[in-house]
Amino acid sequence: MSSRLKGIGPGTAKKLSYEGSENTDVIFLYDDGCVPVHSKANMDAYLKKLSILAKLDIDTK
């Protein structure tokens, strides 16, 4: 699913991206190497990212 969110700058993108990318156009939260259900560490990292996303507003434009 794709959404545009308000408040995502390069710093936030870097925190959200599994690879630490500052790209704000496309952000992947995880890849095959860090699937959240594969380990507690992966899940903890994913949940941290979700907590960041939960604080952002959706851009409805």
Side-chain angles (χ1 to χ4, degrees), residues 3-4 9 12 15 24-26 29 31-32 35 39 41 46-48 54 56-57 59-60:
S3 296
R4 293 224 178 252
T12 302
K15 291 177 188 175
T24 59
D25 293 329
V26 177
L29 303 179
D31 72 351
D32 291 342
V35 177
S39 74
Y46 181 66
L47 292 174
K48 185 175 180 179
L56 301 175
D57 291 324
D59 187 353
T60 57

Side-chain angles (χ1 to χ4, degrees), residues 22-53:
E22 293 182 350
N23 182 2
T24 59
D25 293 329
V26 177
I27 300 170
F28 293 100
L29 303 179
Y30 62 90
D31 72 351
D32 291 342
C34 58
V35 177
V37 297
H38 286 179
S39 74
K40 182 179 180 339
N42 289 354
M43 182 58 79
D44 289 346
Y46 181 66
L47 292 174
K48 185 175 180 179
K49 293 173 186 187
L50 290 183
S51 72
I52 294 168
L53 286 171

